[in-house]
Amino acid sequence: MLGAIVVALVPAARPTVARSVAVGFAAGTLAVSVALAVSFDSGGDRYQFVEDHAWIAAFGARYTLGLDGIGLVLVLLTTVLTPLLLVAGWNDGTRVANYGSRRVSHTYMALILVVESMVLVSFTALDVLLFYIFFEAMLIPMYFLIGGFGGVHRTRAAVKFLLYNLFGGLVMLAAVIGLYVVTARPDGPFDGGTFDLRAIADAAASGGLGVDPMVLNALFLGFMFAFAIKAPLWPFHSWLPDAAVQSTPATAVLMMSVVDKVGTFAMLRFCLELFPGPSQTFAPWIITLAVIGIVYGAILAIGQTDMMRLIAYTSISHFGFIILGIFAMTGQSQAGATLYMVNHGISTAALFLIAGFLVSRRGSRAIADYGGVQKVAPVLAGTFLISGLATLSLPGLAPFVSEFLVLIGTFGRYGVAAIVAAGALVLSAIYILWLYQRVMTGPVREGNETVPDLVRRELVVVVPLIALLIVLGVYPKPALDVITPAVQSTIVDSSGGQR
């Protein structure tokens, strides 16, 4: 947030300085998160680096932050991607029609930093009200990023994004208030109302919350509805393709790889821990929706003629895998789902950004306008292929490990769902390989003869993402060592304290 303020204070005539300052602050945030990861003790307390301050005493709300293994890997994902997205979108702020202001670049960079700061608070908040405020507040900078920069229909896409997510957030607000009322009961386990996640989760796990199951079911659905829109889970997904296509590639990646992960993260952190009983009750229904989303997203991706819309639909399918793993509620499935959040963030970032670089050269998103690109831009085509193969979870690349864990962990409890989801992997091979064939292979199509290959600035963005896909695909152990203890704690809490 401090970085956004400094960027905004850079003189209007110095857009390059503003961009450099933004990248510098993002790189500094990355350095801090790496230092936290190095200091994190995976065998120690669940929540580490806890910071707790009084906030709104009248409501029992506190400014409490802390990291467990789940939050840590998502913080790392956010801080790794943000500087890369700033570099990838280096010129985005200068390509907006009808603005006529030299501060456009400043605004674009500052908004990305604001979103980053709000996402980081969401991943570390241990107070329900604090989480809710930042969960909702991040809609505002995202609305301006989508509506202010990008395609000709960006305003309509931004309004659709805002309406969907705002409606989900208002439903969640009612549930947050309901949760506070429940904890404030005179005969309850607390001395007055509280938003303390850890205290409420402990009471819920031990059965000491003493609330009618129907009330808990209603509160669970209020939280879940907001997270299902944010994730997004079928059938609450329709805002995503429009927002992704009309945004700049960097904004779309920020949304799909980072912001939307707050939804799936919150299902693990809040739905399962605050409402273990309702989570068990509604798990079969949510798993059914997740499997439908996996198949539906893959089928619609195959039928797309717009390259960016195709990639957006693949994300709907992949979010289905993540939610499937979360609500299968086994150690393997939830560890796989958490790792999948990270791997999907990296693979989608690589694929969408490279596709965006290509679209910016040709000026068209239509797949039919391409062909033979690998002959004129071999590096672009090669990195696009690796990113695509990662998206279809080829062994040796990062998403394979997480998808394998989700399916194995789900199979023992929901066998049919695991089999149908595994069958959808064939569809993912079809949409990626067919996309690659139509765009990159064959004779060079008219208009593509002079498509330049990736330049140095673009390689600075792409190479780290490709390297992460390979490293996490070959050696995921460090990430799983951090994730697994936190997942085990979540399973204990969501099963009523029984291992």
Side-chain angles (χ1 to χ4, degrees), residues 116-148:
E116 181 192 27
S117 65
M118 291 181 169
V119 169
L120 291 178
V121 173
S122 299
F123 286 145
T124 55
L126 298 180
D127 183 280
V128 178
L129 184 61
L130 180 67
F131 170 84
Y132 171 77
I133 289 174
F134 281 87
F135 178 82
E136 278 294 87
M138 73 178 71
L139 297 179
I140 299 170
M142 279 306 302
Y143 168 79
F144 286 111
L145 277 171
I146 297 170

Side-chain angles (χ1 to χ4, degrees), residues 444-463:
V444 179
R445 195 173 180 83
E446 184 179 353
N448 295 323
E449 301 89 345
T450 58
V451 169
D453 213 337
L454 295 180
V455 299
R456 186 179 303 170
R457 176 179 63 81
E458 294 164 340
L459 287 172
V460 167
V461 176
V462 173
V463 169

Side-chain angles (χ1 to χ4, degrees), residues 159-175:
V159 170
K160 190 174 182 181
F161 160 83
L162 186 64
L163 288 178
Y164 267 72
N165 285 276
L166 193 60
F167 181 62
L170 291 175
V171 173
M172 181 183 168
L173 175 60

Side-chain angles (χ1 to χ4, degrees), residues 36-89:
L36 288 175
V38 171
S39 304
F40 188 83
D41 180 5
S42 57
D45 295 339
R46 177 175 182 184
Y47 293 107
Q48 300 177 28
F49 316 114
V50 173
E51 183 180 346
D52 183 40
H53 302 285
W55 181 28
I56 309 175
F59 298 151
R62 300 186 67 79
Y63 179 85
T64 309
L65 305 178
L67 269 178
D68 68 348
I70 299 170
L72 177 63
V73 294
L74 292 173
V75 164
L76 284 171
L77 171 69
T78 304
T79 55
V80 166
L81 287 184
T82 301
L84 297 179
L85 296 180
L86 289 169
V87 175

